Each structure stands twice: as structure tokens, then as C-alpha cells.
Amino acid sequence: METHPRVVRTNNFIGDAAGFILKQARKAMSERNEFRIALSGGNTPASVYARIAAEARDLPWQLIRFTFGDERCVPPDDPQSNFRMARKNLFVPAAVPEKSIMRMRGEIDPQTAAHEYQAQLDAIATEHGERIYQHDLILLGLGDDGHTASLFPGTAALEEMTRRVIANFVPKLNAWRLTFSFPLINHARQILFLVGASKSPRLIEGVLAGDQQFPAARVNPAAGEVTWMIGE
Ligand code: 6PG
């Protein structure tokens, strides 16, 4: 059964986004004594991560497992690295323990990095008797072309229906990316799209209307809930 996304338009984007994420964290930890969250990259989430680090000093970070929905194929200190952005805004200020962070190794061969990351997720899933690793919450952004994670229009990764983590060559960027596939994304309990006020309202409406030309419109967890947090 496909659930309809919840749309929250707010002029307190950072506060409301951070509040939503912390609420999900506390709920997951009270129910399952862990919180599995996949971070999104790009620019929009940086201020939200910084707010979380500032507000949640009391959080039992050792119960949280951070994964990444996608990563650029660059070293972790590269300005393009999503890991670098998360480390600067969240991991360092909140003193998140190393063992709570699963970094996609953007600095090695993309296929190897994707395979390695998927194997890490699969090992945890198997430990918990899960067929596919189930995230409590996956954060996603929205690109101006309707991409999400690194699932760009017209790229091979859109068609992947088996593997969970793939290397995806993006011609428009002339670059490789590592990304979750739709099967992994659509297995999450909760999805939160973080969309800043600068994003085109027409694009947002098109995605919300389910226009399949936009990869973001194909995020549709069978049993999960989708929330759109849109800055005004
Ligand atoms: C990435 C992101 C990507 C991002 C969108 C929006 O690695 O770039 O995961 O999917 O969320 O491109 O990016 P902005 O937040 O910078 O607009």
C-alpha cells in the first residue's frame, strides 16, 4: 500500500528538520535501542546537522548508526565529500564515536567501494535476521533535475532493482558517484526529504505529483512513510 507523503512547509526549516530527526532518533532508540539513519549530502543538510549537534549533546550517539545515501568518488578530505560535510557539521561537534559511522570510501575504485559498502550493510542485516538492511530514517535531498541521492535522470542506477548500493556514472557531471538504489531506499521505515526554500516550486509540485521523469518521484517505500520538509 503506497502511503501519501506528508508535506511540511516551514519558515523554521532548520529547527523543524532537526526536531523531526531527533524525534525519530528517540523513537527508534526507545523501540529498538538503536537508530539507523542515512545522511544526505550537498549543501542543504549542513545547517540541519549543525543544529542537531548543538541541540542533542545528551543523545546516546553510540546507539546511532550513520550511513550515507550517496557519496562523491573523492577522498574524505575533498571539499566535494559528503562525509567531510557531515564530519564538519555533525560528527566532530557532537563527538560521534568513529564506530557509529559507516563511510563510503569515495577514494577507491567505485565498483569496489559500492560492493564493500553493500557487504557491510548486508552483514548487519543478516545479524538482525533482515533480508535487506532497514534504515529507520533516510534523509534525501532534491536536485534541480529531480535527482535524489545520486540517482540522476537517465543514469543506469535508476534501473537497479536488486543491488542495494551501486556505483553510478553521471555523464552530466562526468563523474562517478556511489549511491543507494531504490530497493534500499524504499525499504526504509521513514524517508525525510530536506528541500530548501531556493528549490523550484514547479519542480517540487512535479515530484509530488509523481512525475516519473524525476527520480525523486520514484521514492515510494512500500511500508514506510515519506515526509517532505520544505523551507519557505
Ligand atoms: C549529493 C546529494 C544530492 C543532493 C541534491 C541537492 O551528493 O549531492 O546527496 O542528492 O541532496 O543534489 O543538493 P543541495 O542540497 O546542495 O541543493
Side-chain angles (χ1 to χ4, degrees), residues 67-68 102-104 113-121 165 180:
T67 52
F68 287 81
M102 285 173 60
R103 182 176 71 84
M104 289 180 162
H115 185 80
E116 168 187 274
Y117 205 80
Q118 175 168 303
Q120 288 173 23
L121 292 176
V165 183
F180 283 3

Side-chain angles (χ1 to χ4, degrees), residues 39-120:
L39 300 180
S40 62
N43 303 310
T44 303
S47 55
V48 177
Y49 298 164
R51 177 68 62 86
I52 289 170
E55 280 185 6
R57 297 216 176 287
D58 63 321
L59 221 54
W61 294 100
Q62 70 281 6
L63 297 182
I64 301 182
R65 185 182 294 282
F66 289 96
T67 52
F68 287 81
D70 72 327
E71 184 56 280
R72 290 80 181 279
C73 290
V74 296
D77 290 309
D78 186 295
Q80 280 294 313
S81 164
N82 288 335
F83 169 80
R84 179 178 182 271
M85 184 270 283
R87 179 178 58 191
K88 173 170 175 270
N89 292 286
L90 177 56
F91 300 153
V92 167
V96 174
E98 191 81 23
K99 66 177 174 46
S100 289
I101 302 163
M102 285 173 60
R103 182 176 71 84
M104 289 180 162
R105 290 207 295 162
E107 69 275 23
I108 66 173
D109 164 67
Q111 308 295 347
T112 307
H115 185 80
E116 168 187 274
Y117 205 80
Q118 175 168 303
Q120 288 173 23

Side-chain angles (χ1 to χ4, degrees), residues 39-46 69-72 80-82 85 139-145 147-152 173 177-179 194-196 198-199:
L39 300 180
S40 62
N43 303 310
T44 303
D70 72 327
E71 184 56 280
R72 290 80 181 279
Q80 280 294 313
S81 164
N82 288 335
M85 184 270 283
L139 305 182
L140 291 173
L142 178 65
D144 292 334
D145 56 3
H147 80 261
T148 194
S150 283
L151 298 164
F152 285 79
L173 302 175
R177 290 283 188 95
L178 301 171
T179 187
L194 294 174
V195 182
S198 64
K199 285 291 182 241

